[in-house]
Each structure stands twice: as structure tokens, then as C-alpha cells.
Amino acid sequence: MRLPNNRYTLFRVFKYTVYLLLAYNVYAFFLENHAAAGAVFADGLQLGKVIEAYNDSIDTLAWVLLLLVFELETYVLADEKIRGWVKWSLNAVSSCCYLFIVYSFYGYVAELAYLTDLLPVAASACELAQQGGWQLVLEQDEYVQLGAANCGALADGQLLRLPDVQIVGSAATWSGIEWLAWTDVVNAGAWLLVVGILGFEVWLQLRHELSGRIMRYSQWIKGILYSTLFLCAIYWGYSGSLLEFWDAFLWLVAFFFIEMNLFQWQAETNAE
């Protein structure tokens, strides 16, 4: 059932506003990653570490492009238009996006593995501050210079550091960061499954083979995955990672629109 024209226009404005906000998040994550890279890669960022350093921003850019491909396939373009060079262009863009998304998932797993290899620090925090060159981790991707003003807040004997870099923090702080890293891995894995199912549904729909039975099974599976993603968003909000919470909320809303597009597309095809 189509909405009245005025309500339908407002709906489209709201939908594309969400898409624009997600596009802006690419810039927001770039600023956050750039600040963190300056601390973690203080000796210089090697070319092979670029994706690791800017994992969030590259991942978000790939997701925005993939979202636009889904929007074109499920709503903007008519079935008869998705032929020839248009079809191959959309497939090429989506394939590149999947490549970066899978690699970003690997980046989240690698970051989690890196955080499980923390080393104990024998010296006190203030002794490290006197040496100079040490960074203090406050939360995920947030670091400050370790100095006389903040070293006293760290209890001796509970300090851990990242291997190969001069970044130190309390055991409690690192534990919270590790939980956030686990959330990143679960969130990225769930989204990979969601878009894999969506991509399969779009492929079937273009072949006019997407039946109601397949839709019911896929909706049941995606319901579990979307619930998992919602729990990840709640955890980010609870832990104070407001940018991650806001980004996760916007993505859930955006893919709700894609699900609506697909549902209406399949219903219209069956009616024809």
C-alpha cells in the first residue's frame, strides 16, 4: 500500500536524511581514527597498516556505498533497467565494498587479538612519565600524554601496555576496551550475514524466484541478526561510545528501509 503523496514525500526525505547522516559518519570516524593513529603509530604509518589504522572510516565508506547499491537495486531502478552495463557496474561496486567489509572484519578480529596480548609493566606510572614518550589510554581509540598530572591516578602493579608501542593503561581500562573490541567483531560478523542474505534475496528477486517461503525463512534469520545488532548498539550506548551507538542506530534504520523496499518489490512482482 502506497502512502499519500505528502506523507510519501516526507518519508523519502526522512529516508535520505538518514543516508546523508551515515555518509557524514565517514568523516566523523576518519577524524577519530586519524587522532588514534597519531598515538598508536607514533613512528610513522606504514602503507600496510593504513586499513588497520583507518578501519572504522574505510569500513563505513564501504557500507555507505553498498547501501546505495541496495537502494538502487530495490527501489530506484526498475527491473528492466538492471541489465547490461548497469548490472555489471552495480556488481563491481558491491564486490569492492564486500572486499573492504570482509577485510575490515579481519581488522576487527586482528585488533581483538592484539588486545589479548597485553604486557605487564614493572615500573610505576610516574616513573614512565619521567622517562617521557608514553601515552595513556583513556578509552577505545583515545590517548593522552602520560605526565606528572595524570600518572598518580594509576595504581602501581595494575599497569598493562600494548606490545611494541609505548601505550599504557590500567587493567580495568583495557578490560573495557577488550569488551568493546568483542562488540566490534560480533557487530561486523552479524552485518556480513545480513548483507549476504540481502544480496541473495535481491539476486533471486531479479530472477523472479524470491518466493514467500524463502522470505519467511530469511526474515526469521535476519530477525535474530538484527536483534544481535540492536544489543551491540545498546552496549555501545551503555559504555559511553556515543558515536558508535549513533552510527549503529542509523544503520539499523537505513536497512529497515531496504527491507521495506525489498518487501514492496517482491509484493509488486507477485501481483504482476
Side-chain angles (χ1 to χ4, degrees), residues 159-172:
L159 298 181
L160 298 172
R161 58 166 292 185
L162 286 173
D164 304 325
V165 292
Q166 291 184 307
I167 296 179
V168 68
S170 67

Side-chain angles (χ1 to χ4, degrees), residues 11 20 26-28 41 72 79 86 95 102 118 122 128-129 151 160 175 184 199-200 207 228 244 252 254 257-258 266:
F11 174 77
L20 287 174
V26 176
Y27 174 70
F41 302 98
L72 290 171
D79 293 10
V86 174
S95 297
V102 171
L118 297 173
L128 296 178
C151 70
L160 298 172
S175 177
D184 288 336
F200 179 64
R207 296 164 58 91
T228 302
E244 285 80 2
L252 287 171
F257 294 141
I258 298 299
Q266 198 255 355

